[in-house]
Structure formats: C-alpha cells, structure tokens
C-alpha cells in the first residue's frame, strides 16, 4: 500500500515583509503513526523547488517506511515569492532559511528528525547542525560543499573539460553581463548534462524546477549569481570549514564521480566533521538519487538505521 501524502502551507511571519507569507510542504508517510523518525529534506538552489528531490519518496515506501518531508523554501516553488526583494542580500540570509526550517518543524509537530540536504540545502543543513539543534539525530549531505571559493574554482576546471565553443560562450557572456542570452543558457545546459544530471532525457520533475526558476530567479541571483561558476551574490565568500567540527551527529557525505561537487569540494566535510562517512557513487553526477536511484536509497536507508 502506498504511503499517505499530505500537502499544506505553514504560515511564516517574515520581518520586513508586509504581506502574509507561507511555506508549502509535502509529507509522504505518517508522521504520527510511523516508528521511524521523519527525514526532513532541504533542496538546492538557492531558490529552487523540491520537485527534483522526489525520488526520495522511495524511502517512505516498503521496505524503508521512513516519513519524508519535502518543502519549497521561501522565494521558490509553491511557497511565497518576493521578487521585490531581488538584490537584497541582507534579506535573503541564511538566518531567514533557518527560521523558516524551524517554523515548519513546529507547524508539523516534529520534535526528533533526520536531516538531508542537497547542494545549497546541504550548506543550510551544515549551518543548522553546527548549532546543535535539539532533535537532530543524523545528517545526510548529498553533493554539497564547505567552501564556495573551492566550489567556483572546481566548476571552472570542469568547464575547461567541455568543448571550446561552450567555454567561449560562457566567458563571453559572463564578461559582457549578457547571461540571459540563449547562447549562454545553452552552454549552461551542456554543463548541467555533464556534471549535474546525466540522465537522458531529463525527468519532468527536474524540468519543472528549471521552469519555475526561470520565472523567478530572485533568490538564486541574489545569493549566488548568474551561474555555478560566476558567483557574485551574498554566498560568494561562504565558508563553514572552521565550524564543521561542531557537528556532533553521525553524518553521511555523498557525491558522484562526475559531480560538480567534486572530491576536492566535498573532502573538507570528511576531514572536519567528527563522526562521518563518505561514499562516491561511481556512475552519478550531482543527483545520484536519479542516476543510481536504488543504490542511493539503500545506502541512505542503511545509514539512517
């Protein structure tokens, strides 16, 4: 029998915003009846939607039976959008997303939980975990990072492996500030096909996230910038390496062999988090839950046990 699905909105009072705001969520599984702790997921971006993480519903079904909580972070997906805050780096802060996370836990009545963060979601999960939140039992960091400088440098190295016309298109439009040009977007798509999701064709869920992002790139452009290797936003100097030793829960670090989260990017998480395991999926890039779905679920489920 398929696990129950609950969707809703958690009201979220945001300082500096006059209108009512809400966080949209989906729970797959029964939070009250399950014997397993819920797995709360944090999607990437920043500013994306949860949809591309939906393969994780596998963990809610047999044999794992783990309730999985998805939600769209403020400014993305089905949650409240605030395009009027584009460029406001002080507003789009890590603290805002931490506050939203705890607001959702309270709304859903979640006291104890496991946490899985992907990419930017992993960055947010790391920050949350360094503060020793009550109720956090285990942490899964999928395709994430500890230092944005290393991420950008690594992305540039990966770009250099692609055909010269793609490199030239990226360089030209980055230099000219014409990153909305179709030629630039096509070049970014080739980068994604090589290092983000090596599944052909791309699943509808991922395409939907990209469509939503194109309609409102407020958060991504403000916090990150026009692309993965042209980082101009508030996260440009993000670095949590010196704080990682504070994470005191068992942690699983995951990436793919063809991942934009290269071993160079991921290694500090392994070096500095005290109770940690690291596994690299051999046939995956940035989304192993699509590329090696069954193996990914088994690996995560065994860790959560």
């Amino acid at each position: 029998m398929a696990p129950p699905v609950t969707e809703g909105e958690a009201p979220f009072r945001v300082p500096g915003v006059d209108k009512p705001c809400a966080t949209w969520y989906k729970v797959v599984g029964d939070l009250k009846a399950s014997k397993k702790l819920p797995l709360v997921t944090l999607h990437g971006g920043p500013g994306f939607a949860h949809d591309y993480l939906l393969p994780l519903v596998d963990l809610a079904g047999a044999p794992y039976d783990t309730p999985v909580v998805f939600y769209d972070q403020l400014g993305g997906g089905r949650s409240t959008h605030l395009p009027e805050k584009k460029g406001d780096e002080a507003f789009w802060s890590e603290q805002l997303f931490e506050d939203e996370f705890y607001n959702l836990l309270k709304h859903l009545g979640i006291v104890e939980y496991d946490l899985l963060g992907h990419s930017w979601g992993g960055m947010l999960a790391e920050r949350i975990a360094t503060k020793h939140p009550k109720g956090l039992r285990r942490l899964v960091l999928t395709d994430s990072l500890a230092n944005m400088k290393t991420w950008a440098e690594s992305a540039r190295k990966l770009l250099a492996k692609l055909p010269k016309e793609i490199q030239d298109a990226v360089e030209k439009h980055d230099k000219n500030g014409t990153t909305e040009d179709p030629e630039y977007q096509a070049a970014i798509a080739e980068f994604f096909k090589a290092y983000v999701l090596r599944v052909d064709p791309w699943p509808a869920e991922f395409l939907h996230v990209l469509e939503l992002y194109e309609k409102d790139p407020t958060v991504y452009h403000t916090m990150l910038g026009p692309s993965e290797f042209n980082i101009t936003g508030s996260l440009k100097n993000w670095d949590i390496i010196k704080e990682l030793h504070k994470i005191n829960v068992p942690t699983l670090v995951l990436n793919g062999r063809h991942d934009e989260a290269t071993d160079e990017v991921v290694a500090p998480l392994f070096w500095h988090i005290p109770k940690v395991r690291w596994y690299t999926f051999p046939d995956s890039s940035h989304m192993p839950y699509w590329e090696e779905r069954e193996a990914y679920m088994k690996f995560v489920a065994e860790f959560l046990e």
Side-chain angles (χ1 to χ4, degrees):
M1 188 172 70
V5 177
T6 305
E7 297 181 3
E9 291 184 338
F12 180 39
R13 181 173 293 180
V14 182
V17 176
D18 294 332
K19 65 183 180 182
C21 296
T23 303
W24 185 94
Y25 65 84
K26 173 188 283 188
V27 179
V28 183
D30 192 327
L31 291 175
K32 294 182 179 179
S34 178
K35 297 179 181 179
K36 302 281 188 74
L37 288 186
L39 177 65
V40 183
T41 64
L42 300 175
H43 65 70
F48 285 0
H50 80 285
D51 304 67
Y52 77 95
L53 289 178
L54 283 173
L56 295 173
V57 299
D58 293 356
L59 294 170
Y64 307 123
D65 300 319
T66 297
V68 182
V69 178
F70 302 96
Y71 73 97
D72 292 339
Q73 295 160 25
L74 190 72
R78 299 153 191 80
S79 292
T80 303
H81 285 245
L82 299 166
E84 66 273 20
K85 294 291 187 179
K86 186 172 184 178
D88 189 342
E89 295 186 0
F91 177 80
W92 296 110
S93 66
E94 282 183 85
Q95 189 61 54
L96 173 69
F97 293 105
E98 285 184 56
D99 293 344
E100 180 185 33
F101 170 75
Y102 289 118
N103 182 72
L104 179 65
L105 293 188
K106 183 177 180 180
H107 180 82
L108 294 175
I110 294 174
V111 178
E112 291 186 283
Y113 58 95
D114 296 320
L115 184 60
L116 183 151
H118 175 257
S119 201
W120 146 253
M123 296 164 63
L124 181 58
E126 292 158 30
R127 183 68 71 193
I128 289 169
T130 62
K131 299 178 180 180
H132 302 165
K134 185 178 179 180
L136 175 61
R137 188 190 65 149
R138 288 180 182 260
L139 179 65
V140 181
L141 302 174
T142 295
D143 318 278
S144 196
L145 60 144
N147 174 281
M148 190 60 75
K149 184 174 181 288
T150 306
W151 173 274
E153 290 172 349
S154 180
R156 282 285 173 185
K157 292 175 185 176
L158 294 176
L159 178 64
K161 296 180 180 181
L162 296 179
K164 190 173 185 303
E165 59 268 24
I166 294 173
Q167 299 178 49
D168 290 345
V170 169
E171 183 177 357
K172 178 178 72 176
H173 293 291
D174 273 347
K175 183 178 180 180
N176 296 334
T178 51
T179 54
E180 299 300 321
D181 190 285
E183 183 183 39
Y184 185 84
Q185 296 303 319
I188 297 299
E190 292 304 313
F191 182 90
F192 272 39
K193 289 175 183 176
Y195 306 118
V196 175
L197 183 54
R198 295 160 68 95
V199 172
D200 188 20
W202 280 345
E205 293 89 342
F206 181 57
L207 291 172
H208 181 59
V209 169
L210 294 179
E211 290 170 5
L212 292 174
Y213 156 74
E214 288 172 3
K215 290 178 181 177
D216 183 10
T218 296
V219 184
Y220 187 90
H221 283 185
T222 304
M223 297 185 72
L224 206 67
S227 73
E228 305 292 297
F229 26 76
N230 185 16
I231 298 170
T232 58
S234 59
L235 294 175
K236 182 176 182 178
N237 298 313
W238 191 88
D239 187 340
I240 200 171
I241 291 175
K242 291 182 180 179
E243 304 294 315
L244 291 174
H245 70 278
K246 297 178 181 178
I247 297 177
N248 62 357
V249 297
T251 302
L252 178 63
V253 173
L254 301 170
N255 70 331
R257 182 165 294 166
H258 310 287
D259 203 335
E260 63 174 333
T262 61
D263 288 355
E264 178 186 21
V265 166
V266 167
L269 300 173
F270 181 71
W271 294 335
H272 296 285
I273 297 174
K275 304 172 187 176
V276 65
R277 295 170 59 190
W278 177 10
Y279 181 75
T280 300
F281 289 92
D283 299 314
S284 293
S285 57
H286 200 53
M287 299 185 184
Y289 40 85
W290 282 107
E291 297 155 307
E292 294 178 74
R293 184 165 176 166
E294 185 176 347
Y296 179 92
M297 301 308 158
K298 188 172 186 292
F299 211 90
V300 170
E302 288 177 354
F303 171 73
L304 296 179
E305 287 291 340

